[in-house]
Amino acid sequence: MALPTAEYVKIVEELFEKVKKFTYVGKHMQRWDAIEKILGKTRFTADYANLYRNLVYVYSVRAKYAHAKIRKIDVSEAEKVSGVLKVITHKDVPGVNDVGYVIPDQPLLAYSKVRYIGDIVALIVAEDPYIAEEAGEKVYVDYEPLPVIIDPLEIVDPITLEEKKHVLIHDERESDIVARYRIRTGDVKKGFDQASVIVENEYRTQYAEHAYMEPEAALAIPEPDGGITIIASTQCPYEARRAISKVLGMPFNKVRVVVPPLGGGFGGKEDVANEIGAKAALATLLTGRPAIAVHTREESIIGHSKRHPAIMWYKHGASRDGKLVAVEARIILDTGAYASLGPFVAWRATVHSVGPYKVPNAKVDTVAVYTNGIYAGAFRGFGNPQIHFAIEQQMDLLAEELDIDPVEFRLKNILRNGDRTVHGQLLDHGVGLEGALVKAAKIANWYRKRAEYAKQTGTIRKGIGAALLWHGNSIGAEGADYSAVSIIINRDGSVTFRTGLTDFGQGAIQGLIMLAAEILGVPPEYFRVEMPDTASVPDAGPTVASRTTAMGGNATLVAAYKLRKKLNEVAADMLKCSPDDIEIKAPEVYCRSDPARKIRWIDLIEECFWKGISLQEYGYYRAPKARWDDETGHGEPYFTYTFGAIIAEVVVDMETGKTYVERMVTAYDIGRVVNRVGAELHAEGGAIQGLGYALMEEIVHSPEGKVWNPNLYAYYIPTILDIPKEIIPIFVEAGYIRGPFGAKGLGEPSINGIAPAIANAIANAVGVRIKSLPMTPEKVYLELKRKGLIKL
Amino acid sequence: MDLSGLKDKLSYVRKVNDNIAIGALTTPEDLAETFLHKDKKYLGFYDIYKKFASPILKPLATIGGNIGVAVSASDYLTFLLTLNAKVKLVSVEGERLVSLEELVVEKRTLAKDPNELIYEIIFPELPENYSTAFMKIDRREVIVTGYITTAVCLKIENNKIADVRIAFDRVNKRIPSRAKKTEEFLKGKEFSVDIIREAYNKVLPAEMVRKSDFRASGEYRLDLSKVLMKRTLLQAKSRIVEGV
Amino acid sequence: MSTEEYPEIEITLNVNGKDYTVKVKPYERLLDVLRYKLGLSSVKEGCGRGECGTCAVIMDGKLIASCLVLAIQARGKKILTLEGLAPPGKLHAIQKALLDTYAMQCGFCFPGVIMAMKSLLDRNPNPTEDEIREALSGNLCRCGSYLRFIKAAKLAAEYIRKGQVYFEFKG
Ligand SMILES: Cc1cc2nc3c(=O)[nH]c(=O)nc-3n(C[C@H](O)[C@H](O)[C@H](O)COP(=O)(O)OP(=O)(O)OC[C@H]3O[C@@H](n4cnc5c(N)ncnc54)[C@H](O)[C@@H]3O)c2cc1C
Ligand code: FES
Ligand code: FES
């Protein structure tokens, strides 16, 4: 944990206090990799196939049932197919046959039973991908089908949250409850007694799919010493190395993971990357040849983690003057066949479960359960899109009951500097929520439009809705929260940047370069970002939880600061002035008090070389320790929170029920904007992904646990014709002392508030409230019909 | 069956006597180059084009293949039913002309010999006071099957519905077909929203059986059929009367 | 019949201005030939079913899904991929405009998007916003750079109308 006295903490705090003017930070800048990508030269994982000869192809034979005992696996026929080199089953796994993320509950190759339709029973390794697939049909598995459970309410009672009697999915664990969390603050009974209005509702959200454009891929290469190198499309190289080493039974230092740019991740390329990496590595280990595994789109959809479906029951109470007095909630998350990151998702959902408000009395119970659906894990927002969908509609309903404008009602209850969260955490500074909401309302013309839309007639109507959000930064009490980078200034003055944080499109690495450039005084063009590779980059923790800019940024500041200190000292010696007087503006270095006294950057570097001053620095940062009391849900779960306000404007066709989102204003308090382009793209991209989540996306299982829509044709993600005319990103910079120059994360929060803002806008437009996602044309129409608001 | 070798030969739109013939290998992209996309009578073709798959499919998909797959999502098939289209089948034994309605008997099933090739599609030219329209609605705008689709061919004379043909992706089978009872009800009546409403509330539900699946319920599909029937008819009428 | 029993067939196709003769199996797709036989890995496979647009290339002047075309169907065709868009060392106006609008995220959809823009601008030198949306509607971008694509297409059209088709670049 970060001791307040640790050098790295002091560096970050000192820079936050001192530096207020920036050359690169906050400016619009081109990403370091934009040119290679625009030329189509960037190699994504599957593209490496062109660089290796003698490749073998790995095909996964998946379950025929979503829940069944395996009596026997017969691969003899498959092995006979010409061109097949090896058929791998659980018996061939040299190490531990498990790829579970948080809990060791997920075999890489199923042996005693299958628990969902994506479970893998065998791997075919063949000379040609088409042959491999063909041989897959010849693997015979003798199954004993078991009852399939798709509805989490068959696992738990919705009122008591107790486990029901059912055929266990994880009999080895003796329970299908994965995790439970709770919050107990104040006395909800008393709270509700004081309430003059109470609203109580059930909300549901769906299974959702990342649908990154690049399906998962991994390529394994045998090394002369018996080790294996795996090129993999993963967000977390060190985590993948841990998982693959475990399967292979090899020490970490013989397993090398290299991570090319990813064609999207959004949280999805964590567990499945371990799985596909392990599959390729096993094939290489057992055949001695380079092996490639690439998932088809269908495999990708069926075989990787999803966003948890949620069933949420919420009861909110407010006083006549519009103050929240109590919140009670029960949240059931369906984590599918395996835990994946389910326990952490459930925890994050619990932490945020009352929204960014002052709540004196709260009682929240969350439970995550297994079913026979596709396993659910990390997906941008990590439990928060679900609970915000419920909370923010509850807030609108309270405002309606109280006859207060929804923005005004929120302003009466939001967290501000000096307030305590529901967990008792004091937020003494860095809370920019009010600014975000006020600005968003102004730019969206909130009050005027609310008044205008109240007067509509006809069957095409407009509506405007707001939602607030918050999002704890980094991984909080989930685990060891550290990050690291190394910066090397080469003898020619160019800079090498290394970190185990990965880029899956989000562009956060660009932010790190801008931070380093700011401190060192060299332009970002001097930098080359090396590909994440466990053979060279430092372990920076996982690239998840909106932590790259904040955590990686701090590590970057530390490394750059240490380098800068050395550079200043050597330059001062050369220029005969004080180190504090040194200004670096590469290619020049001069004394601030006398700019005529100057040297070249390259000469400064050369001098360091001859003086024996090492210009290779490592920066490490460990977050302040998170605290969480399991009994009460009190403590400091995250060191800081990103806040935001979303305003969405919609047009609803009442005869078809179809909603079109015309415009969105998204205002985020991210402490300090580092990579401005990246921040804007997140505001836009998160809004568009949120729009898909709100209106169209849903993975649907059949009662037998098959997936009805494992493709991009019936799993609808927005096309360019479905998106708003305009998305207006606004940033508030409230500054958090332990973020790089005050910065917080935006990767995930950018989706949290979209669906509820759209839901509230639909309610404003046509007077019906859709309490389950996605808010399809059908749901809107049938609700209008039921209420007699539309008659054909 | 790879017919791409015949592409040049079987890609055309021709007027033959009082008929229009479309070669089986004509693609949506090819159609877009022809008068069918400009003549206001045939704007149903343009409507389909706008909603057909996505640009990367429009130069590849063929109208013959669209009929060949014979599914409710075959948009040209749905529309061509309103044009009383016939299909010319060719095999080594010779050629024959069958009505499209008789050719498509069930989902993925054509009343033809496997070695008979769909050669061209023929339909009578529409006189002046006719026009057509097609609509499809789904959760997103394109790359969709459509919750439902509707095509109409309408003739207006002195604001009377002189002739009308209405097809849906499904009426009571798993293939596109015409809502003939609804058509009969409308024929000869004064064109008005009220009469359309009466038709879709009283007659259409008697001949239409909509099923539920994971994408939508039968109830919603039936109601949406009513809405799109109204909208396509209004669209076709506007094309006849206003020219747009 | 199993895969190995299919005979290979020799086809010639013109890609980015050069003729190539390759041996293909009858079930191989144009996408496979471009990616793995010719090494043109800008052509991506996001779905293999015509649903995503990441494999889009221009064949005989038309934007098509290369995952839905059999290699043998591409016999004798002229194909343009992103690799052939601009002369070596230059950026095409579309690429320049995408940089100018800071559209880049993961970039996996970009090759297809760029080809779709090229196909649009070849037909329509001054497209409206609606025309741009329609032309790009087969290219899914999950990172959500769509609004930037619209701006970029307009900007690229402007460059091209001014005769600025190719640009020098650093890096
Ligand atoms: C992503 C995607 C989106 C789509 N969207 C739409 C849409 O919006 N609307 C729509 O209507 N369709 C859509 N389709 C379906 C498809 O593109 C069409 O049905 C298309 O017209 C089929 O044409 P084809 O030439 O590719 O036929 P093929 O796939 O080659 O053939 C289809 C069938 O017809 C047979 N056949 C083909 N030509 C002939 C012939 N001349 N004589 C006899 N039999 C023949 C074939 O043997 C085969 O059985 C979509 C498909 C995809 C992949
Ligand atoms: S790979 Fe061809 S359209 Fe998706
Ligand atoms: S930039 Fe990632 S999919 Fe478009």
Side-chain angles (χ1 to χ4, degrees), chain B residues 199-221:
Chain B
Y200 69 55
N201 279 328
K202 289 207 181 123
V203 192
L204 183 67
E207 63 179 326
M208 180 172 270
V209 184
R210 283 293 191 179
K211 292 255 163 67
S212 301
D213 63 18
F214 78 96
R215 297 189 311 115
S217 68
E219 178 188 0
Y220 178 60
R221 285 199 164 102

PDB file of all heavy atoms in Angstrom, chain B residues 199-221:
ATOM      1  N   ALA B 199     -59.513  -1.883 -42.245  1.00  0.00           N
ATOM      2  CA  ALA B 199     -58.981  -3.095 -42.900  1.00  0.00           C
ATOM      3  C   ALA B 199     -57.999  -3.818 -41.974  1.00  0.00           C
ATOM      4  O   ALA B 199     -58.079  -5.030 -41.803  1.00  0.00           O
ATOM      5  CB  ALA B 199     -58.295  -2.717 -44.204  1.00  0.00           C
ATOM      6  N   TYR B 200     -57.098  -3.053 -41.376  1.00  0.00           N
ATOM      7  CA  TYR B 200     -56.095  -3.770 -40.578  1.00  0.00           C
ATOM      8  C   TYR B 200     -56.614  -4.203 -39.216  1.00  0.00           C
ATOM      9  O   TYR B 200     -56.076  -5.105 -38.606  1.00  0.00           O
ATOM     10  CB  TYR B 200     -54.748  -3.042 -40.529  1.00  0.00           C
ATOM     11  CG  TYR B 200     -54.623  -1.733 -39.776  1.00  0.00           C
ATOM     12  CD1 TYR B 200     -54.968  -1.605 -38.444  1.00  0.00           C
ATOM     13  CD2 TYR B 200     -54.062  -0.615 -40.411  1.00  0.00           C
ATOM     14  CE1 TYR B 200     -54.790  -0.409 -37.760  1.00  0.00           C
ATOM     15  CE2 TYR B 200     -53.881   0.579 -39.745  1.00  0.00           C
ATOM     16  CZ  TYR B 200     -54.252   0.678 -38.406  1.00  0.00           C
ATOM     17  OH  TYR B 200     -54.065   1.857 -37.744  1.00  0.00           O
ATOM     18  N   ASN B 201     -57.665  -3.543 -38.747  1.00  0.00           N
ATOM     19  CA  ASN B 201     -58.190  -3.993 -37.460  1.00  0.00           C
ATOM     20  C   ASN B 201     -59.212  -5.117 -37.600  1.00  0.00           C
ATOM     21  O   ASN B 201     -59.301  -5.983 -36.746  1.00  0.00           O
ATOM     22  CB  ASN B 201     -58.807  -2.822 -36.684  1.00  0.00           C
ATOM     23  CG  ASN B 201     -57.733  -2.001 -35.971  1.00  0.00           C
ATOM     24  OD1 ASN B 201     -56.708  -2.551 -35.555  1.00  0.00           O
ATOM     25  ND2 ASN B 201     -57.938  -0.697 -35.861  1.00  0.00           N
ATOM     26  N   LYS B 202     -59.961  -5.082 -38.711  1.00  0.00           N
ATOM     27  CA  LYS B 202     -61.033  -6.090 -38.841  1.00  0.00           C
ATOM     28  C   LYS B 202     -60.623  -7.273 -39.701  1.00  0.00           C
ATOM     29  O   LYS B 202     -60.944  -8.408 -39.385  1.00  0.00           O
ATOM     30  CB  LYS B 202     -62.270  -5.437 -39.460  1.00  0.00           C
ATOM     31  CG  LYS B 202     -62.954  -4.484 -38.491  1.00  0.00           C
ATOM     32  CD  LYS B 202     -64.432  -4.367 -38.803  1.00  0.00           C
ATOM     33  CE  LYS B 202     -65.124  -3.404 -37.870  1.00  0.00           C
ATOM     34  NZ  LYS B 202     -65.802  -2.324 -38.607  1.00  0.00           N
ATOM     35  N   VAL B 203     -59.945  -6.998 -40.805  1.00  0.00           N
ATOM     36  CA  VAL B 203     -59.710  -8.074 -41.761  1.00  0.00           C
ATOM     37  C   VAL B 203     -58.330  -8.723 -41.598  1.00  0.00           C
ATOM     38  O   VAL B 203     -58.220  -9.948 -41.540  1.00  0.00           O
ATOM     39  CB  VAL B 203     -59.884  -7.562 -43.209  1.00  0.00           C
ATOM     40  CG1 VAL B 203     -59.929  -8.735 -44.176  1.00  0.00           C
ATOM     41  CG2 VAL B 203     -61.125  -6.696 -43.317  1.00  0.00           C
ATOM     42  N   LEU B 204     -57.327  -7.882 -41.509  1.00  0.00           N
ATOM     43  CA  LEU B 204     -55.970  -8.439 -41.458  1.00  0.00           C
ATOM     44  C   LEU B 204     -55.796  -9.481 -40.338  1.00  0.00           C
ATOM     45  O   LEU B 204     -55.274 -10.570 -40.589  1.00  0.00           O
ATOM     46  CB  LEU B 204     -54.941  -7.305 -41.327  1.00  0.00           C
ATOM     47  CG  LEU B 204     -53.473  -7.749 -41.346  1.00  0.00           C
ATOM     48  CD1 LEU B 204     -53.084  -8.307 -42.717  1.00  0.00           C
ATOM     49  CD2 LEU B 204     -52.545  -6.607 -40.969  1.00  0.00           C
ATOM     50  N   PRO B 205     -56.238  -9.181 -39.106  1.00  0.00           N
ATOM     51  CA  PRO B 205     -56.023 -10.165 -38.033  1.00  0.00           C
ATOM     52  C   PRO B 205     -56.714 -11.497 -38.304  1.00  0.00           C
ATOM     53  O   PRO B 205     -56.296 -12.530 -37.768  1.00  0.00           O
ATOM     54  CB  PRO B 205     -56.640  -9.494 -36.802  1.00  0.00           C
ATOM     55  CG  PRO B 205     -56.661  -8.036 -37.125  1.00  0.00           C
ATOM     56  CD  PRO B 205     -56.889  -7.955 -38.608  1.00  0.00           C
ATOM     57  N   ALA B 206     -57.718 -11.485 -39.152  1.00  0.00           N
ATOM     58  CA  ALA B 206     -58.409 -12.737 -39.440  1.00  0.00           C
ATOM     59  C   ALA B 206     -57.605 -13.623 -40.379  1.00  0.00           C
ATOM     60  O   ALA B 206     -57.786 -14.827 -40.410  1.00  0.00           O
ATOM     61  CB  ALA B 206     -59.777 -12.431 -40.051  1.00  0.00           C
ATOM     62  N   GLU B 207     -56.719 -13.020 -41.145  1.00  0.00           N
ATOM     63  CA  GLU B 207     -55.944 -13.873 -42.056  1.00  0.00           C
ATOM     64  C   GLU B 207     -54.466 -13.994 -41.652  1.00  0.00           C
ATOM     65  O   GLU B 207     -53.732 -14.793 -42.214  1.00  0.00           O
ATOM     66  CB  GLU B 207     -56.056 -13.372 -43.500  1.00  0.00           C
ATOM     67  CG  GLU B 207     -55.490 -11.996 -43.765  1.00  0.00           C
ATOM     68  CD  GLU B 207     -55.618 -11.605 -45.238  1.00  0.00           C
ATOM     69  OE1 GLU B 207     -55.526 -12.488 -46.105  1.00  0.00           O
ATOM     70  OE2 GLU B 207     -55.818 -10.405 -45.505  1.00  0.00           O
ATOM     71  N   MET B 208     -54.057 -13.195 -40.671  1.00  0.00           N
ATOM     72  CA  MET B 208     -52.638 -13.214 -40.305  1.00  0.00           C
ATOM     73  C   MET B 208     -52.416 -13.946 -38.989  1.00  0.00           C
ATOM     74  O   MET B 208     -53.107 -13.705 -38.009  1.00  0.00           O
ATOM     75  CB  MET B 208     -52.124 -11.774 -40.190  1.00  0.00           C
ATOM     76  CG  MET B 208     -50.657 -11.686 -39.806  1.00  0.00           C
ATOM     77  SD  MET B 208     -50.042  -9.990 -39.900  1.00  0.00           S
ATOM     78  CE  MET B 208     -49.479  -9.903 -41.583  1.00  0.00           C
ATOM     79  N   VAL B 209     -51.418 -14.846 -39.003  1.00  0.00           N
ATOM     80  CA  VAL B 209     -51.035 -15.533 -37.769  1.00  0.00           C
ATOM     81  C   VAL B 209     -49.575 -15.183 -37.515  1.00  0.00           C
ATOM     82  O   VAL B 209     -48.692 -15.604 -38.253  1.00  0.00           O
ATOM     83  CB  VAL B 209     -51.161 -17.063 -37.914  1.00  0.00           C
ATOM     84  CG1 VAL B 209     -50.847 -17.738 -36.584  1.00  0.00           C
ATOM     85  CG2 VAL B 209     -52.541 -17.433 -38.412  1.00  0.00           C
ATOM     86  N   ARG B 210     -49.335 -14.390 -36.505  1.00  0.00           N
ATOM     87  CA  ARG B 210     -47.967 -13.988 -36.221  1.00  0.00           C
ATOM     88  C   ARG B 210     -47.397 -14.798 -35.070  1.00  0.00           C
ATOM     89  O   ARG B 210     -48.058 -15.009 -34.065  1.00  0.00           O
ATOM     90  CB  ARG B 210     -47.936 -12.489 -35.875  1.00  0.00           C
ATOM     91  CG  ARG B 210     -48.057 -11.579 -37.094  1.00  0.00           C
ATOM     92  CD  ARG B 210     -46.829 -11.716 -37.975  1.00  0.00           C
ATOM     93  NE  ARG B 210     -46.779 -10.678 -39.019  1.00  0.00           N
ATOM     94  CZ  ARG B 210     -45.785 -10.596 -39.901  1.00  0.00           C
ATOM     95  NH1 ARG B 210     -44.804 -11.464 -39.896  1.00  0.00           N
ATOM     96  NH2 ARG B 210     -45.805  -9.639 -40.809  1.00  0.00           N
ATOM     97  N   LYS B 211     -46.168 -15.239 -35.241  1.00  0.00           N
ATOM     98  CA  LYS B 211     -45.532 -16.085 -34.223  1.00  0.00           C
ATOM     99  C   LYS B 211     -44.560 -15.290 -33.366  1.00  0.00           C
ATOM    100  O   LYS B 211     -44.031 -14.271 -33.789  1.00  0.00           O
ATOM    101  CB  LYS B 211     -44.751 -17.198 -34.934  1.00  0.00           C
ATOM    102  CG  LYS B 211     -45.648 -18.197 -35.643  1.00  0.00           C
ATOM    103  CD  LYS B 211     -45.704 -19.498 -34.848  1.00  0.00           C
ATOM    104  CE  LYS B 211     -46.868 -20.380 -35.240  1.00  0.00           C
ATOM    105  NZ  LYS B 211     -46.772 -20.914 -36.603  1.00  0.00           N
ATOM    106  N   SER B 212     -44.336 -15.771 -32.174  1.00  0.00           N
ATOM    107  CA  SER B 212     -43.328 -15.177 -31.286  1.00  0.00           C
ATOM    108  C   SER B 212     -42.014 -15.921 -31.446  1.00  0.00           C
ATOM    109  O   SER B 212     -42.006 -17.120 -31.673  1.00  0.00           O
ATOM    110  CB  SER B 212     -43.764 -15.298 -29.826  1.00  0.00           C
ATOM    111  OG  SER B 212     -44.990 -14.644 -29.633  1.00  0.00           O
ATOM    112  N   ASP B 213     -40.931 -15.202 -31.344  1.00  0.00           N
ATOM    113  CA  ASP B 213     -39.627 -15.857 -31.235  1.00  0.00           C
ATOM    114  C   ASP B 213     -38.755 -14.988 -30.341  1.00  0.00           C
ATOM    115  O   ASP B 213     -39.268 -14.081 -29.685  1.00  0.00           O
ATOM    116  CB  ASP B 213     -39.001 -16.097 -32.616  1.00  0.00           C
ATOM    117  CG  ASP B 213     -38.719 -14.805 -33.365  1.00  0.00           C
ATOM    118  OD1 ASP B 213     -38.675 -13.735 -32.725  1.00  0.00           O
ATOM    119  OD2 ASP B 213     -38.544 -14.856 -34.598  1.00  0.00           O
ATOM    120  N   PHE B 214     -37.482 -15.281 -30.300  1.00  0.00           N
ATOM    121  CA  PHE B 214     -36.646 -14.552 -29.343  1.00  0.00           C
ATOM    122  C   PHE B 214     -36.511 -13.067 -29.679  1.00  0.00           C
ATOM    123  O   PHE B 214     -36.112 -12.276 -28.855  1.00  0.00           O
ATOM    124  CB  PHE B 214     -35.263 -15.208 -29.224  1.00  0.00           C
ATOM    125  CG  PHE B 214     -34.318 -14.893 -30.346  1.00  0.00           C
ATOM    126  CD1 PHE B 214     -33.389 -13.859 -30.223  1.00  0.00           C
ATOM    127  CD2 PHE B 214     -34.343 -15.620 -31.539  1.00  0.00           C
ATOM    128  CE1 PHE B 214     -32.515 -13.559 -31.256  1.00  0.00           C
ATOM    129  CE2 PHE B 214     -33.470 -15.333 -32.565  1.00  0.00           C
ATOM    130  CZ  PHE B 214     -32.559 -14.296 -32.434  1.00  0.00           C
ATOM    131  N   ARG B 215     -36.880 -12.705 -30.908  1.00  0.00           N
ATOM    132  CA  ARG B 215     -36.714 -11.303 -31.284  1.00  0.00           C
ATOM    133  C   ARG B 215     -37.951 -10.462 -31.004  1.00  0.00           C
ATOM    134  O   ARG B 215     -37.862  -9.269 -30.770  1.00  0.00           O
ATOM    135  CB  ARG B 215     -36.314 -11.176 -32.756  1.00  0.00           C
ATOM    136  CG  ARG B 215     -34.948 -11.821 -33.038  1.00  0.00           C
ATOM    137  CD  ARG B 215     -34.439 -11.523 -34.428  1.00  0.00           C
ATOM    138  NE  ARG B 215     -35.445 -11.786 -35.423  1.00  0.00           N
ATOM    139  CZ  ARG B 215     -35.990 -10.848 -36.191  1.00  0.00           C
ATOM    140  NH1 ARG B 215     -35.588  -9.603 -36.098  1.00  0.00           N
ATOM    141  NH2 ARG B 215     -36.910 -11.166 -37.066  1.00  0.00           N
ATOM    142  N   ALA B 216     -39.106 -11.039 -31.082  1.00  0.00           N
ATOM    143  CA  ALA B 216     -40.334 -10.271 -30.850  1.00  0.00           C
ATOM    144  C   ALA B 216     -41.516 -11.204 -30.650  1.00  0.00           C
ATOM    145  O   ALA B 216     -41.484 -12.368 -31.054  1.00  0.00           O
ATOM    146  CB  ALA B 216     -40.603  -9.340 -32.037  1.00  0.00           C
ATOM    147  N   SER B 217     -42.564 -10.637 -30.068  1.00  0.00           N
ATOM    148  CA  SER B 217     -43.764 -11.431 -29.827  1.00  0.00           C
ATOM    149  C   SER B 217     -44.691 -11.360 -31.034  1.00  0.00           C
ATOM    150  O   SER B 217     -44.612 -10.443 -31.855  1.00  0.00           O
ATOM    151  CB  SER B 217     -44.503 -10.886 -28.613  1.00  0.00           C
ATOM    152  OG  SER B 217     -45.025  -9.604 -28.915  1.00  0.00           O
ATOM    153  N   GLY B 218     -45.577 -12.339 -31.145  1.00  0.00           N
ATOM    154  CA  GLY B 218     -46.569 -12.342 -32.207  1.00  0.00           C
ATOM    155  C   GLY B 218     -47.476 -11.115 -32.106  1.00  0.00           C
ATOM    156  O   GLY B 218     -47.837 -10.526 -33.129  1.00  0.00           O
ATOM    157  N   GLU B 219     -47.815 -10.747 -30.898  1.00  0.00           N
ATOM    158  CA  GLU B 219     -48.689  -9.588 -30.702  1.00  0.00           C
ATOM    159  C   GLU B 219     -48.061  -8.324 -31.294  1.00  0.00           C
ATOM    160  O   GLU B 219     -48.707  -7.565 -32.023  1.00  0.00           O
ATOM    161  CB  GLU B 219     -48.931  -9.375 -29.195  1.00  0.00           C
ATOM    162  CG  GLU B 219     -49.799  -8.146 -28.916  1.00  0.00           C
ATOM    163  CD  GLU B 219     -49.898  -7.801 -27.433  1.00  0.00           C
ATOM    164  OE1 GLU B 219     -49.299  -8.501 -26.601  1.00  0.00           O
ATOM    165  OE2 GLU B 219     -50.578  -6.796 -27.124  1.00  0.00           O
ATOM    166  N   TYR B 220     -46.802  -8.121 -30.979  1.00  0.00           N
ATOM    167  CA  TYR B 220     -46.139  -6.927 -31.503  1.00  0.00           C
ATOM    168  C   TYR B 220     -46.030  -6.993 -33.025  1.00  0.00           C
ATOM    169  O   TYR B 220     -46.267  -6.015 -33.730  1.00  0.00           O
ATOM    170  CB  TYR B 220     -44.745  -6.803 -30.884  1.00  0.00           C
ATOM    171  CG  TYR B 220     -43.954  -5.611 -31.397  1.00  0.00           C
ATOM    172  CD1 TYR B 220     -44.442  -4.314 -31.230  1.00  0.00           C
ATOM    173  CD2 TYR B 220     -42.730  -5.779 -32.036  1.00  0.00           C
ATOM    174  CE1 TYR B 220     -43.729  -3.214 -31.699  1.00  0.00           C
ATOM    175  CE2 TYR B 220     -42.008  -4.689 -32.504  1.00  0.00           C
ATOM    176  CZ  TYR B 220     -42.511  -3.414 -32.329  1.00  0.00           C
ATOM    177  OH  TYR B 220     -41.806  -2.331 -32.793  1.00  0.00           O
ATOM    178  N   ARG B 221     -45.717  -8.170 -33.526  1.00  0.00           N
ATOM    179  CA  ARG B 221     -45.565  -8.303 -34.977  1.00  0.00           C
ATOM    180  C   ARG B 221     -46.876  -8.014 -35.704  1.00  0.00           C
ATOM    181  O   ARG B 221     -46.893  -7.375 -36.756  1.00  0.00           O
ATOM    182  CB  ARG B 221     -45.071  -9.707 -35.335  1.00  0.00           C
ATOM    183  CG  ARG B 221     -43.600  -9.913 -35.033  1.00  0.00           C
ATOM    184  CD  ARG B 221     -43.066 -11.109 -35.811  1.00  0.00           C
ATOM    185  NE  ARG B 221     -41.616 -11.107 -35.840  1.00  0.00           N
ATOM    186  CZ  ARG B 221     -40.854 -11.879 -35.067  1.00  0.00           C
ATOM    187  NH1 ARG B 221     -41.407 -12.712 -34.216  1.00  0.00           N
ATOM    188  NH2 ARG B 221     -39.536 -11.817 -35.164  1.00  0.00           N
TER     189      ARG B 221
END
